[in-house]
Amino acid sequence: MSGAALAARASAPRPERPHLPEAAGAAVPLLHVPRTAGPASRRRAAGGNARGQGAVPAGTHAAREQFRRERARPGCSSGGNPRGHGAVRARIRAALRGGVRLLLHGLCSNTTVKSLDLKGNNLRTMGAEALGKLLRENKSIRSLTLEWNSLGMWEEGFSFFCQGLRANNFLRRLDLRNNQINHQGAEELAMALTQNTSLQELDLRWNNIGLLGGRALLNCLHSNKTLKRLELAGNNVPGDILKAVEQALNHNQDREAILSEAQNQMNILSKEVLSLKDEKNKQFMDFVDAVDKHKEEKARSEKMSVARISQLQDALDEQYSIMNSLKTKLQMTEAALALSEQKVHNLGELLNAMKQEQNCVAECHFRELQQQKQEGADREGRLLHDLSAASEKNLLLRNQVDELERKCKVQQDQLFQVKQDLTNTTAELKLRAVEAEERLETEKRRFKQSLEDMESLRVKEVDRMTQHMEASERSMHNRIQRLEAIRISLEEELSQVKAAALTERGQAEEELIKVRSQARLEEQQRLEHLKEKLRLMTESRDEAQNCCLKQKEMVAEAQAKAKQLSLYADGLRRRLDELQQDLDSKEEEKVTELNKVKVELQEQIGHLEAERAAQDGLREKIAALERQLKALSSNHREALLDKEGEISLLLEKLRMKEAEISRVREEEAQRASFLQNAIMAYVQGSPLGTHSSRK
């Protein structure tokens, strides 16, 4: 073969790679498609390696003959034959289908992936079965895109897929555009939708559903109440069925809106019930205050009655001392006075006992108030401690997120370094290819002088280049595996951080629920205790009223006796007037003392109201702390979502870099194969090749 023909073959344009649809948004696994066995590998398999030998062995000639026979077959030429490229495309498609199937089997037990996009992967029957298994077992995927997969062509596989959709209760959105689904597939899909209770959006545009499929989908909407959006454009479905479907979807949306409104009304009613409970508690506290005031007034009246009784007793004693000279006439009156004295003494003892009981009740109430203050302070301390612990946990989570960001930056640096290495290797390979062409030119000039040396040098050069290519491929593959391991470890750390945040949030909510239940129990116990006190106080009030009535009756009897005695004591009127003046002065003193007592009670009431205001302030602080805790948790959740978005972007960039690496690898493999083909063609066209064929 001449040098011009060899140069033309070497400079011929390379065939384009077959276009493979990428699964946008999904993690497509790297499919390593092995290269087809070239002439050098066939030569090594047939006759062994001729490295380091001076003469060409017989195995090399046999390998050349076999390669020549393979090239002579139709459809096996390596010079750009479309049949060979078709076989490569078929192998790549088969590898992609197997990779997608393995990906779906792996996602069955995954709990973190929320959205999966398998657009344009030509899944066929095995892929549809794998999708059905995925829908039955996976509980985390909320969105699934299956556009351009022709699932409707494989009825058995699509039935498996519909069975999986029927058993799934977690998927929210499903995209089945351009899948060649006919009316039978639509009927199976409708049967699946009758039992599915989670799907809200279904896209069936540009299929072949027709009239029967549209009716089946319309019938399934009578039992399915969760589907809100159904796209049926480009399916040859009549307009009346489309309108009926739209009405059914509107009915589902209205039902969802009504349910949300009912939920909102329930929340409003619960808030109103809580407000009514608060008002009831306030009314009860007002009633308790009124009872306390009534007790105070009762105590004042008892004090006044005791004072009056003591005054009457003094008057009777004075009258008794004055009327000693009239013993014979006043024996009956003396006996009556003795009886009245005994009754008054008994009443005084009863009043003293009542005073002691009232003092005990006041002390118990004061202790309870102090205990409530202490409990409020303890609760505030516990809430402050919980808030500080939550803030510390938030700081720890932020530190972990910063570490993850640093690791992502390190990965980006590593990816940049890998890209630089790739560019360097491509430049080296290009330089070596140029050097090889120059060497071929020199060998062509010296071919007539040293044929055997030319063959040995060529074999060594080809082996060295293949070894260098294999070593570079192994190193790049190892680097890719290391980067994959780093990415998996980062995803595991992120999932652990999320799980820890969820557990901490659950513990905080449980603690809040416990605190609330304990506060409710304490309030109920306090209400029961106050009710019991109120009952006892009402009983004591009734008893005191009965005692007051008896005392009034006794006073009335004493007044009647005093009137009888006034007939016999006209001479004592002046004395009684003086005593009356003294009594008036004493009453004025008592009134002043009562005013002082009122002022003191008002001051105590003011202190109690201040304490109540302080308790209200503590409650408001607790509510503010709870709101701050909720705000911190929401901010933390938003930060986690932002970090997840950044990680997904980094994963997308990594996937693009891997695709670029695979593309460069394929180009280098094609170049190496072209170079090998050119060398083999040059050798076969040389006099050495004709000499070996004659042998």
Side-chain angles (χ1 to χ4, degrees), residues 41 72 92 111 165 170 269 283 337 393 479 551 594 656:
S41 60
I92 291 173
T111 58
L165 181 62
F170 300 95
L269 289 174
Q283 291 176 0
L337 287 171
K393 290 178 182 177
R479 285 185 181 178
Q551 288 176 4
L594 286 171
M656 292 172 67

Side-chain angles (χ1 to χ4, degrees), residues 353-396:
M354 290 293 293
K355 287 179 181 178
Q356 291 178 358
E357 288 180 357
Q358 288 177 358
N359 292 326
C360 293
V361 170
E363 289 177 357
C364 292
H365 186 65
F366 184 70
R367 289 174 185 171
E368 288 177 356
L369 288 174
Q370 288 182 350
Q371 188 175 3
Q372 289 178 359
K373 289 179 182 178
Q374 187 66 27
E375 288 177 356
D378 294 336
R379 287 177 185 173
E380 186 176 2
R382 285 197 297 269
L383 288 171
L384 289 172
H385 180 69
D386 295 337
L387 182 62
S388 62
S391 62
E392 289 176 359
K393 290 178 182 177
N394 194 6
L395 288 173
L396 290 173

Side-chain angles (χ1 to χ4, degrees), residues 35 421-437 461 464-473 476 664-672 675:
R35 293 178 299 170
D421 294 337
L422 281 172
T423 54
N424 293 329
T425 52
T426 52
E428 289 178 0
L429 288 171
K430 288 179 180 178
L431 291 173
R432 287 177 182 174
V434 172
E435 290 176 358
E437 289 178 358
E461 185 68 23
R464 187 174 66 80
M465 290 194 64
T466 53
Q467 287 178 1
H468 186 270
M469 287 293 293
E470 290 175 355
S472 63
E473 286 179 358
M476 293 300 294
V664 171
R665 190 182 298 165
E666 289 176 358
E667 289 178 358
E668 293 300 327
Q670 288 179 0
R671 289 179 185 175
L675 184 60

